[in-house]
Amino acid sequence: QMLDLHTCTQCGRCDRVCPAWKTDKPLSPQQLTVDLRDRLNSPPDSDIPLLGETIEDETIWSCTTCGACESACPVMIEYVDKIIGLRQGLVLTEDRYPKEFISAFKSLETQSNPWGFPNASRSNWAKDLGVPIWDKTQPTEYLYFVGCNGSFDTRGKKITEAVVKTLRDAGVDFSILGNDEGCTGDPARRAGNEYLYDMLASKNAQTFKEKGVRKVVTHCPHCFNSLKNEYPEFGSQLEVIHHSELLQKLIQDGKVI
Ligand code: SF4
Ligand code: SF4
């Protein structure tokens, strides 16, 4: 990360693709790099705080963690990990974060979703559809990991129902965890609450292990990224496929027309 800061050519490509910068938020990824580099080169006994002075809180919270800057950067500078690290400093060390996070963190901790819906109602969407619950003695080929949005949000549930219908029409063998599913923890990690992320991810990883889950399909891009790229840290060696990839394969095989 320190080498990253000295590698920047200040070409501005990151700014040109950054949705925060384009919508007048106080975040220029290029300037962030320059400010962090200058800070790194400043005398080690500088008493100017990094958080809140060198880098304003608003700058840190303006990032959507989309990664567009990383894709555009010709020298492959990474931003998201640095910004998440700065957020961890604000949340876990400084105890300073947007007030909206207070209820979201509490809901994630107590109900395993960011909105505070009772976790016991997570699979209510599936009741009338008769979607089977994962049975470790008779596992299906895929576990369909629905995610919080697909379980609780009105529009999200319509997506879930459409995915269920399509998978069924194509003859895919799948089931869901029902109320044993929990938030992947992605919102907590992106918000800098690594402690909460660890708690949520550990619980899901334990569930996968106990139930013998191996192959997962999900329509949620956040769940996909988390389960595929971050859950190996928790011992989950899952084969994770996005529903669009599975549908593409089913179309190629002539199972979806
Ligand atoms: S795109 Fe990369 S090299 Fe160019 S200004 Fe941004 S961080 Fe620096
Ligand atoms: S990851 Fe953050 S800094 Fe990079 S383009 Fe997206 S919003 Fe901007």
Side-chain angles (χ1 to χ4, degrees):
Q1 289 198 351
M2 287 196 278
L3 278 173
D4 258 8
L5 303 178
H6 288 100
T7 310
C8 177
T9 62
Q10 293 187 245
C11 67
R13 286 181 173 89
C14 50
D15 282 354
R16 289 199 285 277
V17 297
C18 174
W21 181 245
K22 281 180 159 220
T23 51
D24 297 327
K25 306 289 187 312
L27 166 62
S28 149
Q30 178 182 198
Q31 190 60 45
L32 180 72
T33 302
V34 171
D35 289 344
L36 287 171
R37 184 195 62 200
D38 291 349
R39 165 77 190 205
L40 190 65
N41 293 336
S42 65
D45 56 354
S46 166
D47 55 6
I48 300 172
L50 170 65
L51 297 170
E53 286 278 343
T54 305
I55 309 293
E56 299 279 346
D57 291 11
E58 273 303 301
T59 298
I60 296 169
W61 295 120
S62 293
C63 177
T64 66
T65 70
C66 66
C69 51
E70 296 186 359
S71 299
C73 179
V75 289
M76 293 179 282
I77 288 177
E78 294 177 348
Y79 274 100
V80 176
D81 284 354
K82 290 191 194 74
I83 287 172
I84 298 298
L86 292 166
R87 287 180 180 176
Q88 286 171 4
L90 284 175
V91 172
L92 301 176
T93 307
E94 304 279 328
D95 194 24
R96 206 167 72 226
Y97 46 86
K99 65 179 186 323
E100 292 82 2
F101 286 12
I102 297 171
S103 64
F105 287 159
K106 188 174 176 199
S107 299
L108 284 166
E109 188 175 347
T110 58
Q111 303 301 331
S112 206
N113 69 81
W115 306 291
F117 291 106
N119 196 43
S121 65
R122 178 173 273 270
S123 61
N124 281 4
W125 65 268
K127 275 186 181 156
D128 294 339
L129 299 175
V131 182
I133 303 294
W134 181 274
D135 176 353
K136 72 174 177 184
T137 63
Q138 291 180 304
T140 49
E141 182 181 5
Y142 288 99
L143 170 76
Y144 176 25
F145 195 94
V146 181
C148 298
N149 183 272
S151 299
F152 297 110
D153 180 77
T154 304
R155 284 195 300 173
K157 284 191 277 191
K158 287 184 181 160
I159 297 170
T160 306
E161 288 165 17
V163 172
V164 165
K165 182 175 184 316
T166 310
L167 295 180
R168 274 187 172 155
D169 287 351
V172 176
D173 184 30
F174 71 97
S175 55
I176 59 173
L177 285 175
N179 295 341
D180 286 338
E181 182 185 290
C183 177
T184 57
D186 176 82
R189 176 168 258 194
R190 304 298 159 225
N193 195 334
E194 190 70 8
Y195 175 79
L196 184 54
Y197 169 72
D198 190 279
M199 187 186 101
L200 294 164
S202 299
K203 189 161 186 296
N204 277 323
Q206 185 63 25
T207 302
F208 294 144
K209 189 176 171 192
E210 283 172 7
K211 293 181 181 287
V213 176
R214 296 275 179 275
K215 287 170 79 172
V216 175
V217 58
T218 182
H219 71 258
C220 170
H222 305 282
C223 296
F224 174 81
N225 178 55
S226 217
L227 296 173
K228 186 178 176 71
N229 300 320
E230 300 180 341
Y231 269 48
E233 291 170 42
F234 295 85
S236 291
Q237 298 299 334
L238 304 167
E239 185 184 323
V240 186
I241 186 166
H242 191 251
H243 82 295
S244 59
E245 297 171 298
L246 184 56
L247 288 179
Q248 186 183 27
K249 184 173 178 305
L250 292 168
I251 290 168
Q252 283 167 351
D253 294 347
K255 292 181 179 167
V256 172
I257 300 167

